[in-house]
Amino acid sequence: MEMDMGIKNRLAERASREVKDGMVVNLGIGIPSLVPNHLPSGYEVIFHSENGIVGIGAAPGRGSEDGNLCNAGGFPVSLINGGSYTDSAAAFAMIRRGKIDLTILGSLQVSQKGDLANWIIPGKKVPGMGGATELASKAKKVIVVMTHLDKYHNSKLVKECTLPLTAKQCVSMIITDRGVFTVDNGLLTLIEVFRPYSIEEIKNSTEAKFMISQQVAFID
């Protein structure tokens, strides 16, 4: 299901709260790429892209894009002061050596155990997996930002992924347009609900089994 920009920015803002000062962060395409726009000023965060950019800044305004500067998804980005370029081999080496503190990714499905399926729908052509497997396996923390339902109104939070897996039990947090879930030791817990949704509506629209935090928060 397609989200409007207001909801996309709300989810990106919520994901930005998980970014801590001094982190090295890799962002997936789509909603994750909006995260730098929501960070407090003065944060010293290095945004990394597997196509070889270290130090991505906020998205450039319309008309100020650099045709030679884009992220791994091909979307225009800016470069912070002191940012640098590498070849993709060095960028992937950073991931594989465990140098990425946090990755924020989109997904097609996430299981209640934190399995991630985000790279292909069988029968559809894709350019390749990119850095999804390495990021999901080697980043210190994996956050998924996605719609709660697919275009057929099926839950994307599932008991078991039916799509090809990217990595097993790698996801720590899931942020959807309905709520925020944590995954800890294979247990899924609802910790925040986005209004106007209710806990009951989330239960009825979620295939995966989940617990409800005793301190669940309702967010406007």
Side-chain angles (χ1 to χ4, degrees), residues 16-26 43-48 99-103 140-141 143:
S16 74
R17 297 184 219 164
E18 302 301 314
V19 179
K20 309 303 180 186
D21 198 26
M23 276 186 167
V24 178
V25 180
N26 181 284
Y43 255 39
E44 293 187 2
V45 176
I46 296 175
F47 287 102
H48 162 281
K99 302 299 183 182
I100 306 301
D101 296 302
L102 170 66
T103 185
K140 295 172 185 173
K141 185 175 182 178
I143 294 175

Side-chain angles (χ1 to χ4, degrees), residues 108-157:
L108 299 167
Q109 289 180 334
V110 181
S111 81
Q112 61 195 35
K113 297 180 293 185
D115 300 332
L116 176 68
N118 79 337
W119 76 279
I120 192 171
I121 296 175
K124 290 195 173 184
K125 291 184 178 180
V126 295
M129 186 178 285
T133 296
E134 285 88 350
L135 288 164
S137 302
K138 293 296 185 178
K140 295 172 185 173
K141 185 175 182 178
V142 178
I143 294 175
V144 165
V145 180
M146 65 180 187
T147 57
H148 202 89
L149 305 177
D150 64 20
K151 65 181 181 180
Y152 302 108
H153 303 282
N154 298 315
S155 174
K156 293 170 69 172
L157 272 168

